[in-house]
Amino acid sequence: MEKAFQDLDDWLAVEKMPNGKKRVLQAAITLFSKQGYNGTSTAQIAELSKMSQATIFKYFKSKDDLLLFIVTPMIKHILPGYGKSFAQKLRDNGDDLTSFIHFIVFNRYQFLVQNKDAAIILISQLLINDEIKNMLFNEIQTMKDIFIDNVWQPLVATGELRDDLDLLQFLRTVIGQILLYFLQSQRVLQIDDQKQIESDLNKIEHTIILAIKNSSICQV
């Protein structure tokens, strides 16, 4: 299974592509994240990248094609569960529900922060772009069995989950909390105090656990 990139700079560094193409991508990521996709023109991308519009269209058929090239790696790696490496890290963190949720929340939040600009682009497009929404849905379907084996089954094996909780409800609860806090901390409030972020993430863990834990088990 493909290993997830650490951040977009890492991805661009290891991808075999011409320097001009990398410059176009870096400029597009910067502008799309700050101005929005619809608020950015190829002329602006050309100006920031110091490449001609003709060069942009040499590498990408259209602005849409450029957008898809940027968000595709995020879509492919946004869901945890990539092979034995993630599964081992999850188990190394502990074998109870609280430990698992702690690892998932911090791991996925860090993934979003490491890929901040691309994550903001993806989230904004998920609200309005049907093609990207379908791409994400299809990737989730593709990754479903791997996610079940490496993440869901260990969670179920704790015996602490609500009996009526299914995988989709779990994903909505966890992903919703993490994405909302990511936007709040990185886009709206721009929190850079790591102690504050850690405290906030601990509160999010607590909220998630209260929502998914069997009520017959002692509360966290």
Side-chain angles (χ1 to χ4, degrees):
M1 179 57 60
E2 180 184 2
K3 181 182 178 182
F5 52 82
Q6 292 300 308
D7 54 44
L8 278 168
D9 288 338
D10 176 61
W11 172 55
L12 290 173
V14 300
E15 279 288 307
K16 293 181 179 179
M17 65 176 77
N19 286 332
K21 187 174 183 179
K22 290 183 181 181
R23 286 165 61 179
V24 168
L25 282 167
Q26 289 167 329
I29 289 166
T30 298
L31 292 170
F32 289 168
S33 66
K34 290 181 178 177
Q35 303 177 173
Y37 173 73
N38 291 330
T40 300
S41 67
T42 52
Q44 290 173 314
I45 296 170
E47 181 180 1
L48 184 60
S49 65
K50 299 189 179 344
M51 307 296 292
S52 68
Q53 289 192 66
T55 301
I56 293 174
F57 291 119
K58 170 187 172 184
Y59 295 127
F60 304 99
K61 295 177 183 177
S62 63
K63 195 172 80 163
D64 282 350
D65 188 38
L66 175 53
L67 172 67
L68 293 177
F69 195 92
I70 291 168
V71 300
T72 295
M74 288 296 298
I75 288 173
K76 287 187 174 296
H77 298 294
I78 200 166
L79 226 120
Y82 277 81
K84 294 180 180 178
S85 174
F86 184 93
Q88 188 59 52
K89 288 178 182 177
L90 182 67
R91 290 182 173 88
D92 287 347
N93 200 61
D95 58 4
D96 61 298
L97 185 62
T98 299
S99 299
F100 286 160
I101 296 301
H102 174 82
F103 177 77
I104 291 169
V105 167
F106 274 78
N107 178 275
R108 289 299 86 189
Y109 177 79
Q110 189 59 36
F111 171 81
L112 292 171
V113 171
Q114 285 176 324
N115 301 282
K116 178 179 173 180
D117 289 344
I120 288 170
I121 295 166
L122 175 60
I123 294 167
S124 65
Q125 288 299 305
L126 285 173
L127 300 174
I128 58 174
N129 190 313
D130 287 339
E131 182 177 4
I132 289 176
K133 279 190 283 189
N134 289 334
M135 283 176 63
L136 179 59
F137 176 78
N138 290 335
E139 183 63 23
I140 289 173
Q141 290 298 109
T142 300
M143 286 296 300
K144 185 177 178 182
D145 289 343
I146 295 174
F147 181 83
I148 287 173
D149 288 344
N150 291 335
V151 181
W152 182 243
Q153 288 300 337
L155 285 165
V156 171
T158 66
E160 298 179 65
L161 290 178
R162 281 172 28 209
D163 293 337
D164 62 339
L165 184 75
D166 60 28
L167 177 57
L168 185 57
Q169 289 174 308
F170 171 79
L171 288 173
R172 284 175 179 163
T173 302
V174 176
I175 292 174
Q177 290 283 333
I178 296 172
L179 289 184
L180 282 173
Y181 182 67
F182 166 74
L183 290 175
Q184 178 192 28
S185 64
Q186 299 298 313
R187 188 60 181 259
V188 180
L189 301 179
Q190 298 184 340
I191 301 171
D192 57 8
D193 183 338
Q194 291 305 308
K195 287 185 178 179
Q196 179 64 52
I197 290 173
E198 184 173 348
S199 174
D200 291 340
L201 290 177
N202 284 329
K203 291 174 184 175
I204 287 171
E205 290 176 39
H206 187 72
T207 299
I208 291 171
I209 291 168
L210 287 177
I212 66 175
K213 192 169 185 177
N214 191 322
S215 60
S216 66
I217 300 173
C218 294
Q219 292 190 353
V220 238

